[in-house]
């Protein structure tokens, strides 16, 4: 049952992201980035595989990667993703490293009827330079959806803002989780 709920949420996240990546009415006539669905690059863990997308530097000005996953039953049911500590706990930065630092205080976000947080990070890598990531987490009761946007530091905020501003992601629905 939980696997079905997770699968449905990941499918809904992927559909929302596909609309996001295709653009919206405010971008008609503006060249759109070319997003590619890529294989989930991280090892399998207790949350399963997510959806991964990449836009190359030729199309986006810099390489941008987006990783999406559902974590069913992992959110604080009483308060949701309401502070930076909870975002740190539910986010997927540990897929890269266990050493990261927030570059700024997080900010509240709304995705449809759901609330959450968004925050930029510098993630220290073991054998290379740092990675810049923007963690996004929003919840419906005890279930959380997390997105990780990875880009160079100069483009990180713009990439995360575009993800959050798109009407498709704002209209994202999790009602399938309720019926599963």
């Amino acid at each position: 049952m939980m696997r079905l709920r997770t699968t449905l949420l990941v499918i809904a996240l992927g559909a929302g992201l596909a609309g996001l990546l295709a653009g919206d009415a405010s971008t008609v006539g503006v060249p759109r980035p070319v997003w590619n669905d890529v294989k989930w690059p991280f090892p399998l863990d207790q949350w399963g595989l997510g959806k991964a997308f990449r836009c190359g530097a030729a199309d986006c000005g810099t390489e941008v990667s987006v990783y999406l996953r559902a974590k069913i039953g992992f959110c604080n049911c009483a308060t949701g993703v309401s502070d930076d500590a909870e975002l740190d706990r539910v986010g997927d930065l540990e897929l890269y490293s266990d050493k990261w630092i927030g570059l700024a205080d997080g900010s509240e976000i709304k995705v449809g009827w759901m609330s959450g947080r968004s925050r930029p990070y510098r993630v220290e890598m073991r054998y290379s330079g740092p990675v810049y990531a923007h963690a996004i987490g929003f919840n419906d009761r005890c279930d959380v959806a997390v997105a990780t946007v990875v880009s160079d530091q100069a483009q990180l905020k713009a990439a995360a803002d575009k993800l959050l501003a798109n009407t498709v992601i704002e209209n994202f629905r999790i009602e399938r989780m309720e019926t599963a």
Side-chain angles (χ1 to χ4, degrees), residues 144-164:
V144 64
V146 295
T148 306
V149 180
V150 178
S151 183
D152 67 32
Q153 188 175 12
Q155 298 296 321
L156 187 60
K157 181 168 177 13
D161 287 348
K162 181 154 179 64
L163 181 72
L164 289 170

Side-chain angles (χ1 to χ4, degrees), residues 7 13-14 16 20 44 48 60-61 85 87 89 97 99 111 121 133 137 144 150-151 156 173 175 177:
T7 301
L13 277 167
L20 162 74
L44 183 64
C60 288
L87 181 60
R89 187 181 76 80
S97 171
K99 296 179 183 176
V111 178
Y121 294 85
V144 64
V150 178
S151 183
L156 187 60
R173 300 288 185 249
E175 63 262 336
M177 292 180 351

Side-chain angles (χ1 to χ4, degrees), residues 57-77:
D59 297 308
C60 288
T62 188
E63 186 168 309
V64 179
S65 298
V66 176
Y67 306 102
L68 296 167
R69 280 208 296 188
K71 295 184 175 183
I72 305 301
F74 191 57
C75 192
N76 181 327
C77 300

Side-chain angles (χ1 to χ4, degrees), residues 1 10 28 61 145:
M1 180 67 89
V10 168
V28 172

Side-chain angles (χ1 to χ4, degrees), residues 87-128:
L87 181 60
D88 290 349
R89 187 181 76 80
V90 301
D92 270 342
L93 295 174
E94 75 277 355
L95 293 172
Y96 280 94
S97 171
D98 60 353
K99 296 179 183 176
W100 66 78
I101 185 166
L103 297 175
D105 289 339
S107 57
E108 292 181 16
I109 61 167
K110 292 290 277 181
V111 178
W113 73 90
M114 297 172 284
S115 297
R117 277 191 91 69
S118 173
R119 184 178 189 198
Y121 294 85
R122 175 185 163 122
V123 182
E124 298 299 329
M125 303 300 290
R126 189 171 187 172
Y127 298 111
S128 66

